[in-house]
Amino acid sequence: TLYGKLDTTVPTTNKSASGKHTSIELPSNAASYCNKCNIVRPPRCHHCSTCNRCILQMDHHCPWVNNCIGFANYRSFFLTLVFLVLGC
C-alpha cells in the first residue's frame, strides 16, 4: 500500500472472449485509515506531509499560500489564479 493507505480494491473475475477467467481490481468507495493522523478517512482524502493533516479532495500543497488546496478552498484558489492572470 502507498503512504499508509489501506488497499481499497475489490477483486473480481471476468470471463474474456477466449473463455479464460481474468482477474480485475475495481476501486471501491470504502473509507481508509490514516496511520499518521490515526483517523478513518473518507474516500478521496489524502494526507499532506507538509501540513501534517488529512485534506478532503486534496489537489496539492501550494507554497505560495502555505496551505493545501482541496475541497474547502479550491474555488477561491482558482479565482485567485484567474484574477492574477487577468490583472497581468
Side-chain angles (χ1 to χ4, degrees):
T1 61
L2 196 59
Y3 303 115
K5 184 177 176 185
L6 295 176
D7 187 15
T8 59
T9 56
V10 178
T12 62
T13 58
N14 286 343
K15 197 172 187 180
S16 65
S18 64
K20 296 180 182 177
H21 287 281
T22 58
S23 178
I24 298 173
E25 303 258 336
L26 298 175
S28 72
N29 289 332
S32 60
Y33 185 77
C34 180
N35 292 327
K36 295 179 181 175
C37 294
N38 293 324
I39 60 168
V40 176
R41 307 186 286 199
R44 298 186 65 193
C45 186
H46 301 282
H47 185 85
C48 176
S49 58
T50 307
C51 294
N52 199 26
R53 60 184 173 158
C54 287
I55 308 296
L56 184 62
Q57 295 182 0
M58 180 177 171
D59 186 50
H60 68 283
H61 182 87
C62 183
W64 292 289
V65 295
N66 194 27
N67 202 0
C68 285
I69 307 304
F71 179 77
N73 61 355
Y74 188 79
R75 182 176 183 266
S76 61
F77 176 75
F78 181 74
L79 288 175
T80 301
L81 292 179
V82 168
F83 292 136
L84 181 67
V85 169
L86 291 176
C88 288

